[in-house]
């Protein structure tokens, strides 16, 4: 057997990977962290953009997210709260209506409360999603669209709720599982207000990069960037990790902390269990876009929603001088929006927030990115009934990790950290 040897190799440098690497190293193991990109962070990415700093991936945190909040406290990082919109807009068919956020939230609540009816029985302990699986199954077998179709909504209620859900799902509602909504609601104290708060009000002024670097730097871990893993092969008491450059590295245990939609690009020997292969083949549903738009217009904090729009949830992120502001938009399908095409973005802006001139826009195509193949975790129907438990089970000396398979805040930094804590402890035990 050739190649450099370690106690633990971690594949993937997102929040799950850096946490798993830290945990194993703190238990005295020699750890190598391999990351395919030229940076740590995975689907979080703090980056400069024309004099501003933006979060192309995940960016929001909250004190209801226990693992992330603990790490923020440990790192000594501050948080900031965004302001409520001064004006809200929504659509009923082709008609644009406007009012306060309170007025629109009242419309959303009527549909939302119907959508989540039954969640307390289905998810009584949201950090243990299988606790009442017999109750959860009836929701787990539905897409968001199918659940919507069960509800007696007015045209206005359905339009407002559908737009909210498209932004949450980052996917077509016909693909995304209904439990993705119920889980977020349950984790937010069964409250619509807190669900909205946990997903879009609290950020890190120093950026998510500061948090991931704080975790990564808290233990002696060797790291290699720009290193793509091709295969993971178990051979007796050792695991061989081969990179695409042909280098072979060896460890007692390996944590593979990459998104579900990219696991198929790694060859495992022996093959992963059949149920894991089925889960990987199905993948998770998210395929949306997060777009930043610098625009000029009325000097107001805006929030506008429209179902079926390429970025149907649009919100002011920061006010600039000269009547300019930066807005964040979320849409269900990255293929519908090209941030580099300013004329196209302007036409789409006119359809959701008329009266603003688009100056420039930027986005990262997480769907086309070979190391993500999607945005945050939004599972398809059947995930909890068939796949969730199996994806967390070790395969010999190989452990899967990532925010996609977290028990609690799957799709958030908190879920990734939770999964990394668990995987790091398992890898340390396997490598003893």
């Amino acid at each position: 057997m050739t190649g450099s040897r370690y106690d633990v190799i971690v594949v993937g440098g997102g929040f799950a990977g850096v946490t798993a690497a830290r945990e194993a190293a703190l238990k005295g193991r020699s750890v190598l962290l391999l990351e395919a990109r030229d940076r740590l962070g995975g689907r979080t990415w703090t980056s400069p953009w024309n004099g501003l700093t933006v979060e192309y991936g995940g960016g929001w945190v909250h004190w209801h997210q226990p693992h992330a909040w603990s790490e923020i406290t440990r790192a000594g990082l501050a948080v900031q709260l965004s302001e409520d919109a001064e004006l809200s807009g929504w659509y009923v068919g082709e008609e644009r209506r406007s009012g306060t956020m309170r007025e629109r939230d009242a419309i959303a609540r009527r549909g939302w409360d119907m959508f989540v009816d039954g969640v307390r029985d289905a998810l009584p302990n949201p950090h243990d999603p299988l606790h009442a699986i017999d109750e959860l199954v009836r929701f787990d077998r539905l897409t968001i669209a199918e659940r919507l179709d069960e509800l007696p909504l007015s045209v206005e209620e359905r339009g407002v709720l559908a737009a909210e859900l498209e932004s949450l799902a980052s996917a077509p509602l016909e693909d995304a599982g209904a439990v993705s909504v119920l889980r977020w609601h349950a984790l937010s104290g069964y409250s619509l207000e807190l669900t909205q708060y946990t997903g879009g009000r609290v950020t890190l002024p120093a950026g998510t990069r500061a948090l991931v670097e704080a975790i990564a730097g808290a233990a002696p871990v060797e790291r290699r960037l720009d290193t793509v893993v091709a295969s993971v092969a178990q051979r007796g008491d050792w695991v061989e990790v081969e990179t695409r450059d042909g280098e072979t590295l060896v460890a007692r245990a390996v944590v593979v902390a990459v998104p579900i939609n990219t696991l198929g690009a790694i060859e495992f020997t022996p093959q992963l269990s059949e149920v894991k292969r089925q889960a990987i083949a199905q993948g998770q549903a998210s395929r949306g876009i997060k777009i930043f738009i610098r625009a000029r217009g009325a000097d107001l904090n805006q929030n506008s929603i429209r179902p079926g729009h390429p970025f149907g949830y649009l919100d002011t992120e920061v006010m600039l001088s000269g009547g300019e502001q930066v807005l964040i938009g979320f849409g269900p399908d990255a293929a519908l929006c090209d941030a580099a095409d300013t004329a196209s973005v302007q036409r789409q802006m006119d359809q959701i927030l008329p009266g603003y001139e688009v100056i420039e826009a930027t986005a990262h195509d997480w769907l086309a990115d070979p190391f993500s193949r999607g945005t945050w975790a939004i599972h398809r129907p059947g995930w909890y009934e068939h796949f969730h438990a199996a994806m967390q089970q070790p395969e010999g000396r190989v452990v899967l990790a990532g925010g996609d398979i977290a028990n609690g805040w799957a799709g958030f930094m908190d879920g990734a950290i939770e999964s990394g804590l668990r995987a790091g402890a398992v890898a340390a035990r396997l490598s003893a």
Side-chain angles (χ1 to χ4, degrees):
M1 181 178 295
T2 61
S4 301
R5 296 193 179 196
Y6 300 85
D7 293 324
V8 176
I9 293 175
V10 177
V11 180
F15 273 93
V18 298
T19 302
R22 181 194 67 183
E23 293 303 295
L26 289 175
K27 289 179 169 61
R29 307 297 186 262
S30 59
V31 181
L32 172 64
L33 175 66
L34 304 176
E35 166 55 42
R37 296 182 172 95
D38 61 359
R39 59 174 181 82
L40 298 179
R43 285 170 286 180
T44 63
W45 184 15
T46 309
S47 179
W49 174 53
N50 288 357
L52 303 169
T53 299
V54 297
E55 295 282 358
Y56 281 116
W60 287 280
V61 294
H62 195 273
W63 39 92
H64 260 61
Q65 296 161 355
H67 307 94
W69 198 255
S70 176
E71 299 295 344
I72 291 167
T73 304
R74 182 179 287 112
L77 296 174
V79 298
Q80 64 185 9
L81 309 182
S82 62
E83 305 223 351
D84 271 329
E86 300 170 79
L87 184 64
S88 173
W90 64 96
Y91 283 78
V92 181
E94 295 299 314
E95 178 193 354
R96 177 179 168 82
R97 298 181 181 179
S98 61
T100 66
M101 286 297 296
R102 184 181 296 273
E103 289 170 329
R104 197 187 78 199
D105 283 347
I107 302 168
R109 170 176 291 283
R110 294 196 291 270
W112 183 272
D113 286 349
M114 285 188 264
F115 193 103
V116 301
D117 184 40
V119 67
R120 289 180 183 271
D121 293 329
L123 287 168
N125 178 3
H127 284 275
D128 180 5
L130 304 185
H131 180 81
I133 187 61
D134 290 344
E135 291 289 333
L136 187 65
V137 160
R138 68 186 179 96
F139 296 107
D140 191 39
R141 294 175 180 176
L142 298 174
T143 65
I144 293 177
E146 289 169 337
R147 177 62 174 158
L148 268 175
D149 287 343
E150 293 180 343
L151 310 179
L153 301 171
S154 70
V155 174
E156 183 176 49
E157 290 166 347
R158 184 182 178 94
V160 168
L161 183 57
E164 296 267 7
L165 293 176
E166 283 177 348
S167 69
L168 182 156
S170 189
L173 301 187
E174 294 77 16
D175 296 335
V179 172
S180 58
V181 182
L182 270 62
R183 179 176 51 79
W184 194 337
H185 179 79
L187 287 161
S188 300
Y190 307 98
S191 160
L192 171 60
E193 291 85 357
L194 195 51
T195 302
Q196 294 170 327
Y197 210 101
T198 56
R201 291 291 303 277
V202 187
T203 55
L204 297 164
T208 56
R209 177 174 53 205
L211 183 58
V212 77
E213 288 289 354
I215 297 172
V221 173
E222 180 183 342
R223 68 174 81 165
R224 297 190 194 179
L225 303 179
D226 295 305
T227 304
V228 182
V229 168
S231 66
V232 175
Q234 301 190 60
R235 307 195 191 283
D237 293 336
W238 295 90
V239 186
E240 295 181 358
V241 176
E242 184 175 350
T243 72
R244 288 189 189 171
D245 291 334
E247 183 180 9
T248 299
L249 304 159
V250 183
R252 290 284 188 185
V254 171
V255 176
V256 180
V258 303
I260 289 173
N261 288 358
T262 69
L263 275 168
I266 299 174
E267 180 182 354
F268 290 89
T269 305
Q271 284 189 328
L272 297 177
S273 67
E274 182 179 355
V275 67
K276 282 189 177 70
R277 298 199 306 272
Q278 290 174 351
I280 293 166
Q282 174 175 282
Q284 59 102 358
S286 74
R287 54 175 296 118
I289 191 168
K290 177 183 184 181
I291 184 172
F292 293 86
I293 303 171
R294 187 167 185 156
R296 183 182 295 110
D299 199 16
L300 292 170
N301 277 287
Q302 296 275 3
N303 183 287
S304 192
I305 61 175
R306 184 170 189 171
H309 187 275
F311 44 89
Y313 188 98
L314 189 64
D315 190 69
T316 298
E317 169 73 355
V318 60
M319 301 297 296
L320 304 172
S321 60
E324 293 184 8
Q325 61 178 277
V326 176
L327 302 107
I328 297 181
F330 292 92
D333 190 342
L336 300 179
C337 184
D338 181 1
D341 186 343
T342 304
S344 175
V345 175
Q346 180 68 69
R347 289 192 294 270
Q348 293 168 346
M349 173 71 89
D350 294 341
Q351 295 166 357
I352 188 171
L353 186 60
Y356 280 81
E357 175 194 358
V358 174
I359 300 169
E360 58 184 343
T362 185
H364 179 68
D365 191 343
W366 295 101
L367 181 62
D369 187 326
F371 306 123
S372 60
R373 297 297 186 196
T375 57
W376 58 86
I378 296 293
H379 297 298
R380 300 178 191 275
W383 172 263
Y384 291 96
E385 182 179 6
H386 299 297
F387 303 125
H388 181 74
M391 290 296 284
Q392 294 185 351
Q393 293 300 311
E395 300 256 339
R397 293 180 174 273
V398 175
V399 185
L400 301 185
D404 292 3
I405 63 174
N407 283 329
W409 289 92
F412 287 76
M413 287 175 275
D414 188 88
I417 294 167
E418 171 215 309
S419 181
L421 290 170
R422 185 178 299 110
V426 172
R429 174 175 56 78
L430 290 172
S431 61

